């Protein structure tokens, strides 16, 4: 069992922490995240190849240092870091020091070059990449009561909820700044302050290079009225129940995390725009190829389908990418750090 008794009332932050990361929590299960939901990493090897190209750009921006770090945050079973190493040019791979950051035990048979750590190393020179990490950093849930006051939502292990005390202090300040709730009973928000702090701490581990967070996201001009807290189990969305049986996740206010970092030069863009800048496009191969090289045509068609899924509007393409350069030449990163007009992101 995870921490806590069935009848104990706790805020969602404490309940989620126990359910996901406790001794028998969801993220300590042997099947790993891939046994319950599909991320961009699992959707196609094109994603890891794009991250490898990004690491090469960072390498160029750093002046090709003797040792180049790649840190895979919330590495699951090491799928992304394994794919990145496989996709790197030989000369870059030879200089790359790879880390998988994960609370679960090291995956058996993982490439010996990958160091398995419970937290990121300090003094990174290279790329820290956090794919679907921040959405699993536990947060408090706020709900407006009948008097128009935003209160902490308390939850039992079986998912039963009730309202607790009004939000105060830094949490109330965050809500007022980033997700102000109208005085209408039942409206909800996720208080993203712990995620801002987690992201700032992660960026602080980078001495020189780039930190990237990729996640379900929303911004201040389009916050959802009733929040986004949900669960996933065995490939299906389900009610979020903090008993360790399912993933518990909520979309990320990446604009707040960007400001919390206090390092200049960062930006947020869509996964669609980021992957296109890294050479991933969903264009169909020319039909003539089917006649001259049918096998190549089938492979190219499959690749185009995978690229289309990774960049699809309404799906993975709408994920947010938060990019934070630290002490590097921005030019090799190209249009990843240059504003892209909205029509070019579609």
């Amino acid at each position: 069992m995870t921490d806590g008794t069935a009848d104990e009332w706790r805020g969602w932050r404490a309940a989620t922490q126990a359910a996901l990361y406790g001794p028998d929590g969801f993220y300590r299960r042997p099947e790993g995240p891939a046994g319950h939901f599909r991320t961009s990493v699992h959707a196609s090897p094109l994603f890891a190849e794009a991250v490898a190209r990004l690491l090469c750009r960072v390498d160029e921006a750093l002046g090709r240092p003797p040792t180049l770090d790649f840190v895979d945050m919330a590495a699951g079973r090491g799928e992304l870091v394994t794919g990145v190493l496989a996709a790197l040019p030989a000369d870059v791979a030879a200089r790359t020091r790879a880390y998988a950051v994960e609370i679960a035990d090291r995956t058996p048979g993982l490439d010996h070059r990958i160091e398995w750590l419970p937290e990121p190393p300090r003094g990174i020179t290279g790329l820290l990449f956090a794919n679907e990490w921040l959405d699993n950093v536990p947060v408090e849930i706020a709900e407006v009561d009948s008097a128009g006051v935003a209160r902490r939502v308390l939850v039992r292990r079986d998912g039963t909820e009730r309202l607790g005390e009004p939000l105060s202090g830094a949490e109330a300040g965050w809500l007022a700044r980033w997700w102000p709730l109208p005085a209408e009973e039942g409206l909800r928000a996720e208080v993203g302050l712990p995620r801002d702090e987690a992201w700032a701490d992660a960026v602080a581990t980078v001495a020189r290079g780039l930190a990237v967070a990729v996640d379900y996201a929303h911004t201040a001009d389009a916050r959802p009225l009733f929040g986004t807290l949900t669960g996933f189990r065995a490939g299906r969305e389900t009610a979020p129940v903090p008993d360790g049986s399912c993933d518990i996740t909520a979309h990320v206010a990446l604009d707040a995390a960007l400001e919390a970092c206090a390092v200049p030069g960062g930006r947020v863009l869509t996964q669609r725009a980021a992957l296109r800048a890294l050479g991933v496009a969903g264009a169909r191969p020319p039909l003539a190829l089917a006649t001259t090289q049918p096998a190549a045509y089938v492979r190219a068609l499959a690749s185009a389908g995978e690229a289309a899924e990774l960049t699809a509007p309404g799906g993975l393409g709408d994920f947010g990418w938060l990019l934070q350069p630290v002490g590097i030449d921005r030019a090799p990163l190209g249009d990843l750090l240059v504003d892209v007009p909205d029509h070019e992101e579609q």
Side-chain angles (χ1 to χ4, degrees):
M1 292 179 61
T2 53
D3 296 338
T5 60
D7 60 353
E8 181 182 358
W9 291 104
R10 295 185 289 180
W12 267 103
R13 184 181 180 188
T16 301
Q17 181 69 32
L20 296 184
Y21 307 114
D24 298 313
F26 179 82
Y27 276 100
R28 295 188 185 275
R29 293 185 167 207
E31 70 271 19
H36 294 272
F37 52 87
R38 189 166 177 260
T39 72
S40 296
V41 178
H42 309 119
S44 170
L46 294 176
F47 189 81
E49 292 166 9
V51 176
R53 286 193 289 273
L54 177 59
L55 180 58
C56 289
R57 290 195 187 185
V58 172
D59 183 42
E60 182 181 350
L62 290 166
R64 298 181 178 84
T67 300
L68 177 69
D69 297 321
F70 176 69
V71 180
D72 181 7
M73 289 289 295
R77 296 303 175 261
E79 298 95 334
L80 178 60
V81 64
T82 298
V84 168
L85 283 176
L88 289 174
D91 64 312
V92 179
R95 291 184 287 109
T96 297
R97 184 167 51 190
Y99 300 92
V101 179
E102 180 58 64
I103 64 164
D105 292 338
R106 182 185 179 93
T107 304
L110 196 68
D111 191 315
H112 71 277
R113 294 175 294 173
I114 300 170
E115 187 171 351
W116 196 269
L117 298 174
E119 58 185 34
R122 311 295 298 186
I124 294 164
T125 300
L127 173 63
L128 179 144
F129 199 90
N131 185 60
E132 296 196 40
W133 168 52
L134 288 177
D135 68 299
N136 288 128
V137 172
V139 294
E140 298 291 1
I141 307 299
E143 182 175 321
V144 179
D145 67 10
S146 59
V149 176
R151 293 180 175 272
R152 190 184 319 277
V153 177
L154 305 180
V155 63
R156 284 177 170 166
R157 195 169 180 272
D158 64 1
T160 305
E161 293 182 335
R162 70 173 175 85
L163 296 186
E165 71 281 6
L167 288 185
S168 61
E171 291 177 337
W174 189 95
L175 202 66
R177 167 68 177 88
W178 291 107
W179 199 330
L181 288 170
E184 181 178 334
E185 186 176 6
L187 297 186
R188 289 169 69 122
E190 292 100 34
V191 184
L193 181 62
R195 293 169 172 179
D196 296 354
E197 294 170 346
W199 179 243
D201 288 345
V203 172
T205 67
V206 180
R208 292 181 62 229
L210 181 71
V212 179
V214 180
D215 240 309
Y216 299 96
H218 46 61
T219 52
D221 59 348
R223 304 285 191 223
L225 292 176
F226 299 98
T228 62
L229 185 72
T230 192
F232 284 93
R233 181 190 298 114
R236 295 179 180 272
E237 190 168 7
T238 186
V241 178
D243 62 358
S245 68
C246 67
D247 184 30
I248 298 173
T249 178
H251 294 199
V252 182
L254 285 180
D255 48 352
L258 173 63
E259 184 171 303
C261 185
V263 178
R267 69 168 305 208
V268 176
L269 68 166
T270 64
Q271 173 155 298
R272 181 167 52 257
L275 289 183
R276 286 180 176 174
L278 292 168
V280 177
R284 292 172 62 92
L287 191 57
L289 188 64
T291 302
T292 58
Q293 301 180 58
Y297 176 78
V298 170
R299 290 194 298 271
L301 192 62
S303 180
E306 293 173 2
E309 180 182 2
L310 290 172
T311 59
L316 294 174
D318 287 346
F319 271 50
W321 279 47
L322 167 53
L323 297 100
Q324 184 60 66
V326 180
I328 59 172
D329 178 11
R330 295 160 57 98
L333 300 178
D335 46 7
L336 285 167
L337 292 177
V338 176
D339 288 335
V340 179
D342 289 343
H343 71 274
E344 292 185 18
E345 289 200 9
Q346 302 304 313

